[in-house]
Amino acid sequence: MGTSQSHILKTGPNWSEAKRAITSIAKNTGEVNSNCKKLMHGFSNALSENPRASGSLGHAGARVSKNFITFIELTKRNRYSDILELLNVPNEKERLTKEDFIEKVIVYVSGDHDSTPDDAAAIIAIEKLLNDAFTDCATPHDITEKLQNASNDSIVEWIIRFEVEYILEYCSEIFQSHILDKSDDPERVISEIRNWMYKEIDDKLGDQLQPHDFTSPDGNQILDELTTDILNIWKQ
């Protein structure tokens, strides 16, 4: 969970289903997979029946994921010095830590944005993805080399993991009081939901995402619609 956002927990049958489910996860009662399914079923349907409550969930995620794909492609086509210039580090000799480099990548892929819950969730999600994806990298050079050598399998995995963190961050902010007030281990709650979400998305969409070039117009459209497609799976 990130910074506090201006979410207002709504009322209605779907919100109630989601609240009951996340409360069960927080209290560690019931079966985890069943609770996670009920949480996302209620959450997805609640957003669908009341679009204003979603705060345009999906718009910021699409922007950030497309910018990330663009950045990966740029690293594959350009020298390290060109990437530094792209990130507004004109002096290649400037000592740049791994953390500094990741922060500059986050700024680049975030693009122009507002201070909405949707934007906040997308930025927190890409920050977590980059920090997790590059744990084995010691320097900015290592990061660019990993991006340059990234296979399509790796890119699809990163896209899925971004979507997981993006939707999870937005959802967890809505239900923050339920997680923090009813669980003595909020990280367990988030971890259980995260693991369930990743398996669900990978199982149901992973193979469909594999053949696509995400830099193409068709690939861009897939990223534009991906959050909605994921939520639609859970609405059923």
Side-chain angles (χ1 to χ4, degrees):
M1 290 173 290
T3 56
S4 180
Q5 301 173 17
S6 57
H7 288 294
I8 298 176
L9 194 54
K10 306 294 182 179
T11 58
N14 289 311
W15 287 116
S16 295
E17 178 187 26
K19 283 189 286 186
R20 286 193 300 271
I22 201 166
T23 299
S24 294
I25 299 170
K27 291 182 175 180
N28 207 14
T29 60
E31 202 272 321
V32 172
N33 290 339
S34 176
N35 286 334
C36 289
K37 185 175 182 178
K38 290 175 183 177
L39 167 63
M40 285 302 159
H41 178 267
F43 173 73
S44 300
N45 279 289
L47 294 186
S48 177
E49 70 185 9
N50 186 2
R52 288 186 178 183
S54 71
S56 301
L57 177 65
H59 290 256
R63 182 191 70 246
V64 171
S65 61
K66 288 189 294 184
N67 286 346
F68 182 45
I69 294 299
T70 298
F71 183 73
I72 294 173
E73 189 64 20
L74 288 170
T75 64
K76 291 177 178 289
R77 294 182 178 181
N78 292 277
R79 298 172 301 175
Y80 178 67
S81 59
D82 297 325
I83 297 303
L84 291 182
E85 187 172 353
L86 178 70
L87 298 176
N88 293 318
V89 186
N91 183 1
E92 188 177 353
K93 294 182 180 180
E94 180 180 335
R95 184 169 180 78
L96 198 66
T97 67
K98 166 186 171 178
E99 291 74 21
D100 292 337
F101 186 82
I102 289 176
E103 184 59 37
K104 290 185 179 297
V105 175
I106 292 169
V107 171
Y108 178 82
V109 301
S110 296
D112 295 331
H113 60 275
D114 298 317
S115 299
T116 65
D118 184 35
D119 283 295
I123 293 169
I124 291 169
I126 195 65
E127 180 179 10
K128 173 148 183 58
L129 171 66
L130 295 180
N131 282 311
D132 288 350
F134 304 134
T135 52
D136 58 343
C137 298
T139 68
H141 275 285
D142 294 340
I143 293 174
T144 54
E145 185 174 339
K146 186 167 186 175
L147 291 172
Q148 288 166 351
N149 296 325
S151 65
N152 195 59
D153 285 350
S154 294
I155 292 171
V156 168
E157 180 183 352
W158 289 339
I159 289 171
I160 293 174
R161 291 200 179 279
F162 170 76
E163 286 290 334
V164 169
E165 297 301 334
Y166 173 48
I167 297 170
L168 178 58
E169 174 62 28
Y170 194 95
C171 180
S172 65
E173 283 296 329
I174 291 178
F175 297 106
Q176 185 170 357
S177 63
H178 285 72
I179 297 172
L180 294 178
D181 294 348
K182 295 182 171 61
S183 175
D184 57 2
D185 188 2
E187 285 304 316
R188 172 193 60 79
V189 177
I190 296 300
S191 179
E192 288 180 353
I193 300 170
R194 175 185 290 117
N195 293 340
W196 180 87
M197 289 174 67
Y198 180 81
K199 187 176 186 308
E200 275 279 300
I201 299 172
D202 188 46
D203 286 349
K204 295 179 179 177
L205 292 178
D207 289 343
Q208 297 177 38
L209 295 173
Q210 284 291 347
H212 296 284
D213 173 9
F214 295 107
T215 63
S216 68
D218 286 346
N220 270 239
Q221 184 174 356
I222 288 170
L223 296 179
D224 277 332
E225 299 171 355
L226 187 53
T227 303
T228 299
D229 289 343
I230 292 168
L231 294 175
N232 283 341
I233 291 172
W234 292 330
K235 283 166 59 178
Q236 300 171 11

